[in-house]
Amino acid sequence: MFVMDVISYGIIACIGCLIGLSSGMFGIGGALIATPLLHLYAGLTEFLALGTPLPAAFPSSLTGSFVYHRHNLLYFPVILPVLLGALPANICGTLLTQYVTEFTIMILTGSFLLLVGTTFFIRGWLLHEQKEYNPQPNFLFGIITGIGAGLLSGFLAIGGGIVLVPAFVKIHKLPLKKALATSLVCVCVLTVPGTITHYILGHIDPMIALVLSMTVVPFSYIGSKITVKVKSRTIERIYGTAMIMFALYFISTLW
């Protein structure tokens, strides 16, 4: 029994490392990736796998935000309107999880992983990289962006960076690295109401969340440092390809 516990928590610690690396490199909290990993390899039930990674997204995103801030990559004008829309929407999205089945949650998680991976794959491999950027902060669009990110982050127990990064690039015209960095600040804030609400609903295992939180920080720092030095196109290609492969594998295990 003791050996099995050690192995189980070792697997969870490795998942925490992946969460941190993903968070630092791609401007997301990492919870979207952690949910299927915890369900497949740590044996957590669907809803525990959904909510438990969320507390670890806070220290992970906070560490990455610190690194990006030191490199002047944060774009503050969009943060306030995004959070004004995202915070109440996050709570609403979290409460909606009470009305869906566990299987539905897992299918939606896998499908969204596939969609995100495909988007990054297309951008990284098929589209020409934009050479000039002209940031266009728009308060109303910022609130709308925040509402979308907040609802999704609450419902799928993710930080919301999956929505924010492409929105910052497409709508607010930020370069990818600035979009990744700015997204991570918003993720850091959004994990707080999401964690509280999912905990009240019984979707978080405190011990596993603690192990994840202890392992994410150093790898989030490493991931952020990598992104600062690597070309944006390379980041998109790596992320898109990896997510498509993992999403297809995860969905196949559900049937």
Side-chain angles (χ1 to χ4, degrees):
M1 187 69 175
F2 174 76
V3 174
M4 289 301 297
D5 287 343
V6 171
I7 294 174
S8 297
Y9 279 106
I11 293 172
I12 292 166
C14 290
I15 293 173
C17 296
L18 286 175
I19 295 174
L21 194 64
S22 174
S23 173
M25 286 188 69
F26 307 117
I28 62 178
L32 181 62
I33 299 171
T35 293
L37 288 173
L38 288 172
H39 181 55
L40 288 174
Y41 302 115
L44 269 67
T45 62
E46 287 84 348
F47 278 122
L48 281 179
L50 180 76
T52 299
L54 200 52
F58 179 79
S60 177
S61 55
L62 184 64
T63 302
S65 298
F66 175 73
V67 174
Y68 287 131
H69 179 61
R70 290 179 59 188
H71 288 83
N72 298 314
L73 288 173
L74 300 184
Y75 189 71
F76 290 99
V78 299
I79 293 176
L80 177 60
V82 164
L83 291 179
L84 284 176
L87 287 171
N90 176 276
I91 297 173
C92 293
T94 304
L95 294 175
L96 286 175
T97 60
Q98 301 173 91
Y99 305 105
V100 295
T101 65
E102 294 177 334
F103 178 75
T104 301
I105 281 289
M106 292 296 103
I107 285 293
L108 290 174
T109 299
S111 300
F112 195 63
L113 267 173
L114 183 60
L115 174 62
V116 170
T118 302
T119 301
F120 273 82
F121 183 89
I122 292 173
R123 280 183 52 85
W125 289 98
L126 303 179
L127 299 182
H128 294 294
E129 187 172 8
Q130 189 173 330
K131 298 299 181 182
E132 296 183 3
Y133 292 88
N134 180 28
Q136 299 175 11
N138 183 298
F139 199 86
L140 178 60
F141 284 168
I143 291 178
I144 294 172
T145 299
I147 292 173
L151 282 171
L152 195 63
S153 70
F155 188 67
L156 293 182
I158 59 178
I162 292 293
V163 174
L164 293 175
V165 172
F168 286 160
V169 172
K170 291 294 187 181
I171 299 175
H172 302 283
K173 308 301 180 184
L174 300 185
L176 180 62
K177 288 186 181 181
K178 276 189 176 289
L180 293 173
T182 305
S183 164
L184 211 52
V185 176
C186 298
V187 167
C188 185
V189 178
L190 282 176
T191 57
V192 177
T195 295
I196 293 171
T197 311
H198 274 288
Y199 180 77
I200 292 172
L201 293 175
H203 297 167
I204 293 177
D205 183 308
M207 183 56 67
I208 294 177
L210 178 61
V211 173
L212 292 174
S213 299
M214 291 172 61
T215 53
V216 295
V217 173
F219 282 87
S220 178
Y221 181 84
I222 293 170
S224 303
K225 298 291 283 187
I226 292 173
T227 294
V228 168
K229 297 180 179 179
V230 176
K231 291 182 179 179
S232 298
R233 245 177 122 76
T234 302
I235 297 170
E236 291 177 325
R237 289 174 176 178
I238 294 172
Y239 188 67
T241 303
M243 285 304 98
I244 289 173
M245 295 174 63
F246 181 63
L248 291 173
Y249 167 71
F250 175 60
I251 291 173
S252 72
T253 66
L254 298 174
W255 301 98

